[in-house]
Amino acid sequence: MDNLKSQEDLSVIRNLMEQSTKFMSLSGLSGVFIGIYALIGSATALWYINSDSFLTTYFEKGLTPIYITFGCIAFGVLSLSLITAFMLSKRKAKKLQVGFWNKSAKLMIYNLAIPLITGGLFSGLLIYHNAEIFIPPVTLIFYGLALIQASQVTVKEIKFLGLLEILTGLIAFIKLEYDIYFWAFGFGILHILYGIIIYYKYDRKA
Amino acid sequence: MKSKIENINKAFENRVRLGIMSILVVNEWVDYKQLKKLLDVTDGNLASHIAALEKKEYIEIRKSFIGKKPNTSYRVSQTGKKAFGEHINALENLLKGL
């Protein structure tokens, strides 16, 4: 039993413990795609607000059709993001030769779900109380909390991304008139940057 | 020096056995397929090391069915957890001793 072997043994132990409990199939590329969807989504929303038809619709039919349009944009971005994340993670899991739907994946979803669903319901309540203006900062903050929670079961870099999302959300709360821009920064730019970092750090080796 | 290597457990000297124990101590029940994927070993190799660990009563075995397919899962026993902990401490002491 020499020292080199003990050292190697310890690193084998550490790696296997991490691999068997952490969700390592998170794909950096999906971060980049999600960021692009978010940028397209917010650009569409901004374009809609500044378009002529926005005011005509508002004066003729009130707020309901406007909510429906924003709801559709948000739903489109969210579903595209989820589908992309799911497919790319599945592909990476296959590359890493680990099962996709394993305990760590379930743990990851469980960790993300509680803060995200709370944030979603909270946003719904903001609409109910006619306080839609707070939705961008609130979604940023809840998403940041979800990432910090999930960072315990996946790549640790996610934690710092979570902190940045919360910070962006809080600043957006101060500067409410620019909150769509902060939202685009948090969900768009930050995702793309982090996606690239994770891609270079984890994906290329796989 | 002898006292330091006293606790090095012969049962864990093999990498596959060490690997099986590492996975099981941080998870609850792990099935055979997952173990094989994580360790990247052949069926015969894995089966023989599982049998050795089972004989020492370091791991517990549960056989069940998923649909019609038989599914075997493993988990670490109290004895196994204790032995593995002592083994890791011994490894660390050995390294500190240098």
Side-chain angles (χ1 to χ4, degrees), chain A residues 62-199:
Chain A
L63 277 170
T64 318
I66 292 171
Y67 283 155
I68 293 173
T69 312
F70 279 126
C72 287
I73 297 174
F75 183 76
V77 170
L78 187 67
S79 24
L80 268 177
S81 304
L82 288 176
I83 292 168
T84 308
F86 178 79
M87 282 179 14
L88 288 178
S89 292
K90 212 169 169 180
R91 198 183 72 156
K92 192 172 167 190
K94 207 173 167 187
K95 243 182 182 173
L96 292 172
Q97 295 197 315
V98 294
F100 171 66
W101 191 238
N102 54 17
K103 215 182 116 187
S104 56
K106 284 175 206 163
L107 212 59
M108 167 97 178
I109 289 181
Y110 175 77
N111 273 290
L112 278 171
I114 293 173
L116 282 186
I117 292 173
T118 313
L121 294 175
F122 196 88
S123 303
L125 288 172
L126 287 174
I127 297 175
Y128 176 72
H129 289 295
N130 294 319
E132 308 70 30
I133 184 94
F134 298 124
I135 290 179
V138 162
T139 45
L140 281 166
I141 290 168
F142 275 96
Y143 182 60
L145 291 172
L147 287 180
I148 291 174
Q149 185 77 6
S151 71
Q152 294 165 5
V153 289
T154 183
V155 292
K156 56 184 184 301
E157 281 76 11
I158 295 295
K159 192 182 213 163
F160 197 61
L161 176 61
L163 286 173
L164 287 176
E165 299 284 2
I166 292 174
L167 196 69
T168 312
L170 290 174
I171 298 171
F173 243 127
I174 303 171
K175 295 271 172 203
L176 275 177
E177 63 272 34
Y178 298 117
D179 65 356
I180 283 200
Y181 296 98
F182 284 110
W183 194 91
F185 174 77
F187 282 102
I189 311 284
L190 286 181
H191 266 141
I192 295 174
L193 287 179
Y194 256 79
I196 294 172
I197 293 172
I198 288 173
Y199 179 76

Side-chain angles (χ1 to χ4, degrees), chain B residues 7-60:
Chain B
N7 283 327
I8 294 286
N9 195 327
K10 283 266 187 236
F12 301 134
E13 254 193 67
N14 178 283
R15 277 280 155 78
V16 180
R17 283 183 216 175
L18 194 72
I20 296 171
M21 292 304 286
S22 311
I23 295 165
L24 294 185
V25 287
V26 288
N27 289 282
E28 271 190 37
W29 289 97
V30 180
D31 65 19
Y32 182 86
K33 232 172 87 186
Q34 256 177 301
L35 275 183
K36 200 185 156 199
K37 266 183 193 159
L38 283 163
L39 294 165
D40 196 21
V41 287
T42 60
D43 282 316
N45 202 347
L46 183 56
S48 74
H49 289 300
I50 285 174
L53 289 172
E54 191 196 358
K55 206 176 151 198
K56 285 209 151 237
E57 290 180 351
Y58 285 166
I59 58 174
E60 292 167 15

